[in-house]
């Protein structure tokens, strides 16, 4: 049974404005290195997979070959979050590759050494048991920006899932880490049959029926945007989790650069062209044509791209999506 990697690359990345935009989303950027996040993700899974598909929106399809020249490009009819996207991918890949097991993962995560071992265990569990398997990263802090998974019965290579928990407040995050919960990394392994079988018993059933009828566009019109966790995993009894003790971060917002970047003696992380003077614990990011100077400040993120500048306390980095929403509503 072949292993097929499905890399999700259809997001917009609004929390990384102004670097990330609808025209140039974050998966095509090199935020913490010379290669784009998408290119690094595809490189990470190549040793594990017999083939790799990159799933993206129509408007980004022409960008993919520059970052993943050896991958197949799979274009979803519209952006509807990870639930419809992964159901669509499972159906399409099954049509093209036949019987297989899928390793599904986002294109915008930073992952350290050691990913291959838990990924292979997840693939083996999915192949041998027919379960929907997720990787659960062992937390190194009580993060409030991630979902959590409670492991249940130990089955050897994997644990049954005792519960999925949405992004918690600070107190709940402390309890989750103390109780041995795992971060939900959004990395999944399953056979197409296993996922589609569960999808038929969910609110995504109209999409599966439309895909069976060869009408994917109709199917996407019939379903609302929804994550695969909420649409399928949280309600099924067939979920499993494989713990992963790896360095991992979701590069979803500017505060992630503070965690993964290389700080100077004052704690500043600079990606681009910048001068810091009596500044501490700042994140400064620019494109090649911009230069930023920060003086006498602490704990700020300053990002300058394409003539647009963002200034925000790094601890409020999640609020950047509000900026994008205001701008898209006609704000100046």
């Amino acid at each position: 049974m072949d292993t097929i990697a499905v890399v999700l690359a259809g997001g917009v990345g609004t929390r990384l404005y102004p670097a990330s935009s609808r025209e140039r989303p974050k998966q095509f950027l090199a935020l913490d290195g010379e290669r784009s996040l998408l290119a690094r993700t595809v490189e990470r899974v190549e040793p594990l997979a017999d083939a790799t598909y990159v799933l993206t929106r129509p408007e980004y399809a022409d960008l993919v070959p520059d970052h993943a020249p050896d991958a197949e490009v799979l274009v979803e009819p519209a952006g509807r979050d990870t639930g419809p996207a992964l159901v669509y991918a499972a159906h399409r890949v099954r049509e093209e590759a036949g019987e297989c097991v899928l390793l599904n993962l986002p294109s915008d995560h930073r992952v350290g050494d050691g990913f291959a071992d838990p990924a292979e265990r997840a693939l083996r569990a999915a192949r041998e048991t027919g379960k929907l398997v997720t990787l659960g990263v062992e937390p190194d802090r009580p993060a409030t920006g991630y979902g959590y998974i409670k492991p249940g019965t130990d089955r050897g290579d994997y644990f049954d899932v005792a519960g999925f928990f949405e992004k918690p407040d600070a107190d709940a995050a402390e309890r989750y880490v103390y109780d041995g919960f795992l971060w939900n990394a959004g990395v999944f392994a399953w056979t197409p049959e296993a996922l589609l079988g569960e999808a038929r018993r969910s609110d995504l059933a109209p999409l599966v029926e439309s895909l069976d009828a060869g009408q994917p566009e109709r199917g996407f019109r019939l379903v609302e945007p929804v994550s695969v966790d909420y649409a399928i995993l949280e309600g099924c009894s067939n979920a499993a989790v494989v713990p992963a003790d790896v360095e991992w971060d979701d590069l979803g917002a500017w505060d992630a650069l503070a965690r993964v970047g290389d700080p100077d003696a004052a704690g500043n992380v600079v990606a681009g062209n910048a001068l810091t003077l009596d500044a501490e614990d700042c994140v400064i990011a620019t494109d090649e044509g911009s230069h930023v100077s920060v003086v006498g400040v602490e704990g700020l993120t300053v990002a300058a791209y394409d003539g647009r500048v963002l200034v925000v306390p790094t601890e409020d980095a999640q609020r950047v999506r509000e900026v994008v929403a205001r701008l898209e509503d006609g704000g100046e």
Side-chain angles (χ1 to χ4, degrees), residues 79-97:
R80 288 289 188 272
D81 211 329
T82 58
L86 289 172
V87 168
Y88 176 75
H91 201 281
R92 283 290 310 277
V93 172
R94 185 180 63 177
E95 289 179 344
E96 296 185 8

Side-chain angles (χ1 to χ4, degrees), residues 19-323:
S20 183
S21 66
R22 290 194 178 277
E23 294 74 30
R24 184 193 55 202
K26 62 181 176 179
Q27 58 268 29
F28 301 108
L29 303 178
L31 291 173
D32 66 338
E34 296 181 356
R35 290 170 295 125
S36 69
L37 298 178
L38 174 58
R40 295 171 67 175
T41 302
V42 170
E43 182 179 83
R44 187 185 316 129
V45 299
E46 281 180 342
L48 301 170
D50 297 292
T52 299
Y53 286 73
V54 174
L55 179 66
T56 192
R57 302 186 189 195
E59 56 265 37
Y60 305 146
D62 291 341
L63 299 177
V64 172
D66 291 337
H67 302 264
D70 296 327
E72 298 286 340
V73 181
L74 193 59
V75 181
E76 57 185 322
R80 288 289 188 272
D81 211 329
T82 58
L86 289 172
V87 168
Y88 176 75
H91 201 281
R92 283 290 310 277
V93 172
R94 185 180 63 177
E95 289 179 344
E96 296 185 8
E99 187 179 4
C100 60
V101 60
L102 305 178
L103 177 64
N104 311 270
L105 66 167
S107 58
D108 56 357
H109 291 179
R110 183 178 187 270
V111 182
D113 295 337
F115 172 77
D117 177 67
E120 287 174 341
R121 285 189 282 126
L123 287 164
R124 183 165 59 247
R127 186 183 296 112
E128 294 177 355
T129 69
K131 290 183 176 293
L132 307 184
V133 186
T134 181
L135 254 62
V137 172
E138 298 182 11
D140 60 12
R141 65 188 186 280
T144 58
Y146 304 144
Y148 285 75
I149 301 170
K150 180 180 180 180
T153 302
D154 186 348
R155 304 293 185 182
D157 267 352
Y158 64 90
F159 291 78
D160 293 335
V161 170
F164 290 90
F165 297 84
E166 298 297 327
K167 298 174 182 178
D169 59 27
D171 289 341
E174 292 273 6
R175 293 197 306 273
Y176 292 168
V177 173
Y178 179 81
D179 290 336
F181 288 22
L182 304 167
W183 285 336
N184 185 351
V187 178
F188 310 107
W190 47 56
T191 64
E193 291 76 13
L195 180 68
L196 295 171
E198 293 291 344
R200 293 180 194 279
R201 294 185 284 274
S202 76
D203 289 343
L204 295 178
L207 173 58
V208 181
E209 294 168 1
S210 295
L211 292 172
D212 287 343
Q215 300 175 318
E217 292 81 6
R218 176 179 180 273
F220 271 70
R221 290 195 299 269
L222 292 175
V223 296
E224 297 295 326
V226 62
S227 71
V228 72
D229 308 76
Y230 187 79
I232 296 176
L233 293 173
E234 293 181 10
C236 81
S237 59
N238 197 32
V241 60
V242 171
D245 184 12
V246 297
E247 182 183 354
W248 173 85
D249 213 302
D250 178 357
L251 299 181
W254 288 114
D255 58 337
L257 263 66
R259 295 190 296 270
V260 307
D262 185 16
D264 63 18
N268 301 305
V269 173
V270 177
N273 307 310
L275 169 68
T276 62
L277 181 61
D278 295 330
E280 297 182 357
D281 301 325
C282 291
V283 174
I284 305 106
T286 76
D287 59 17
E288 292 183 356
S290 301
H291 184 278
V292 167
S293 298
V294 292
V295 182
V297 297
E298 180 179 356
L300 289 183
T301 287
V302 183
Y305 288 81
D306 300 329
R308 297 196 171 212
V309 178
L310 169 78
V311 181
V312 61
T314 302
E315 65 181 6
D316 290 331
Q318 300 295 326
R319 295 193 60 194
V320 174
R321 69 178 69 193
E322 299 174 29
V323 174

